[in-house]
Amino acid sequence: MDIFYDDQCFIPEDLTEREKWFKNNYFSGIVRDDELEKYPAPYKMAEQDFFDSPYDVSVVRHERYTPLFFHEHEFIEMVFAFQGKCTNEISGKKVEMSAGDVCLIAPGALHALGVFDDRTLVFNYLIRTSTFENSFFSILSSGSILAEFFRNIFYGESGNAYLLFATGNDPETRYYLARLYEESQRSGGDKNNMMNTLLTLFFLVLMRSHGNHVILPDKDPDEKIHPVQLLEYMQENYRTASLKDMAGHFHYSERHMKRMIGKYTGRTFSDNIMRIRMDQARELLERTRLPLNEIAHRVGYGEPSGFRQAFRKFFGETPSQFRQKHGG
């Protein structure tokens, strides 16, 4: 089902009268200074100015031919290029977007989007930060290194500030984006719950189908292996994996594998494996009544004593003490 093509009135492809005015005056060198002066750069957008209670998501079509408007905001902006091409300048980097691209822009990132042709259609999905956290990170294990990886990219001090997913003509991701847009035009008491649910489903499909191909600002273009693949390997094989095994799996030397892991996680292979094991152990202690010996085995320890020692070093208390405080 392709909602975008079902109803031409739903998303008109023709230029609006306002877009025609901008087009005529843009190419004539006339700028609406009276409008732009209302928003001194960098203009900061607050959540309360864009979200009517109780709604958490807002969807609008980006106007074509409007002057570049640099701004930043407290919320998450997700830009979807439905057709055509556009340039999204984020934190001083020009991000070229083609049909099917989805770009997530972090709070506080200075950016501006330019759409300067009749054919291109771009949609902006504005999402409360708390809603994004619940939707995007809920599909990843809360303590996983994959979730931590995306958090560091999105909220870290490096200034990356965006994630770009090239979905191409994937009908499943486009369907959920279309449903979100359609729902945003409705009214009713269930509208907010429906949009939040659709958003979570969209992120689930996006990560499942395109998570291994997300375009990262600082990724080395010469690297054949995507960093997400490295993280997923460690997450899935933490019980038995060794650096040697991992290097062999990806056909790299141990030295090169060590360098890549350090670059993308800021930790050694051993530290990453330890964090995964401890996170899994913590979850089992909190949610189950499994014997400690069984938990030790499940998280990759042959001897319970080794597990107890590692757990105490990591959390500052023994597994038994932790379970007494936090266990079910």
Side-chain angles (χ1 to χ4, degrees), residues 43-51 72-75:
Y43 182 66
K44 296 184 179 180
M45 300 179 176
E47 283 196 350
Q48 64 264 26
D49 297 331
F50 285 85
F51 298 93
E72 58 187 64
H73 36 62
E74 296 177 349
F75 45 87

Side-chain angles (χ1 to χ4, degrees), residues 90-93 95 104-106 109 149 152-163 216-219:
I90 309 169
S91 299
K93 298 180 181 179
V95 181
L104 288 165
I105 304 173
F149 172 71
N152 288 340
I153 287 178
F154 212 54
Y155 299 125
E157 298 178 356
S158 61
N160 290 330
Y162 71 90
L163 298 170
L216 307 173
D218 293 336
K219 181 182 180 297

Side-chain angles (χ1 to χ4, degrees), residues 145 234 238 241-244 246 254 257-258 261-262 265-278 301 310 314:
I145 59 172
M234 287 188 284
Y238 70 91
S242 66
L243 181 63
K244 181 179 179 180
M246 186 173 178
E254 291 185 43
M257 181 57 61
K258 186 184 299 184
I261 293 171
T265 70
R267 298 188 181 93
T268 66
F269 171 83
S270 298
D271 287 340
N272 279 298
I273 294 298
M274 174 65 74
R275 292 181 70 87
I276 299 171
R277 287 180 171 180
M278 293 299 103
Y301 287 90
F314 194 87

